[in-house]
């Protein structure tokens, strides 16, 4: 099986700023841990981060050509603004899990709106870096039981 992990704007700064909010692990560490976890489950995990909405859309299009079966996405602030990302995910029709480090519903009201949630398999929010592992396990379980 092949999965894609997508990270949106500013998540490249993880580990360097605001550790009280987003934890002290770098994105590279989170990605490498998840690649190893995925490998142990027989899943090939591709990782991509961009601060640009268009690049994220292009990566979702590529996922469809590359036979990606599931997507884990932390779209960062684009979660709350991007109809383009929503449309891309719906266009390729690849099952996805929306994930967040923080509990977005416990934060400012502008973070309560998500353009991705209602079409996601599930939402994992608030477990810090562990949200990535939980999302991976949930997506894997979902796809194995919905063959
Ligand atoms: O909690 C999450 O994972 C978020 O997707 C993070 C986004 C935020 O806009 C969403 O509402 C919730 C912000 C990512 C910013 O990442 C930083 C990492 C380190 C230092 C500064 C920002």
């Amino acid at each position: 099986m092949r999965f894609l992990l997508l990270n949106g704007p500013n998540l490249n700064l993880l580990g360097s700023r605001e550790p009280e909010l987003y934890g002290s692990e770098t994105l590279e560490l989170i990605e490498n841990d998840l690649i190893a976890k995925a490998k142990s489950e027989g899943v090939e995990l591709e990782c991509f981060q961009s601060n640009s909405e268009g690049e994220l859309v292009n990566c979702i299009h590529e996922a469809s050509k590359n036979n990606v079966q599931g997507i884990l996405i932390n779209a960062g602030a684009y979660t709350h603004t991007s109809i383009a990302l929503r449309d891309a995910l719906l266009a390729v029709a690849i099952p996805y899990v929306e994930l967040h480090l923080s509990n977005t519903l416990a934060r400012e009201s502008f973070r309560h709106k998500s353009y991705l949630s209602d079409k996601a398999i599930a939402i994992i929010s608030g477990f810090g870096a562990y949200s990535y592992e939980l999302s991976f396990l949930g997506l894997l379980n979902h796809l194995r039981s919905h063959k």
Side-chain angles (χ1 to χ4, degrees), residues 6-28:
L6 274 181
N7 278 286
N10 297 310
L11 288 158
N12 55 311
L13 298 178
L14 277 179
S16 66
R17 294 190 177 87
E18 299 187 78
E20 62 295 339
L21 198 51
Y22 297 120
S24 53
E25 287 185 47
T26 62
L27 183 60
E28 191 183 8

Side-chain angles (χ1 to χ4, degrees), residues 102-109 111-113 125:
S102 61
N103 176 356
T104 52
L105 295 177
R107 300 182 63 192
E108 304 95 323
S109 60
R111 296 186 204 275
H112 299 180
K113 166 77 189 168
S125 186

Side-chain angles (χ1 to χ4, degrees), residues 53 78 81-89 115-116:
E53 191 175 17
Y78 289 147
T81 62
S82 181
I83 299 170
L85 279 182
R86 176 194 176 89
D87 286 348
L89 288 163
Y115 282 98
L116 310 182

Side-chain angles (χ1 to χ4, degrees), residues 5 72-75 97-101 122-125 131-132 135:
L5 170 64
L72 306 165
I73 181 164
N74 183 352
V97 173
E98 173 185 344
L99 78 101
H100 299 285
L101 293 148
I123 307 147
I124 305 278
S125 186
S131 289
Y132 286 82
S135 305

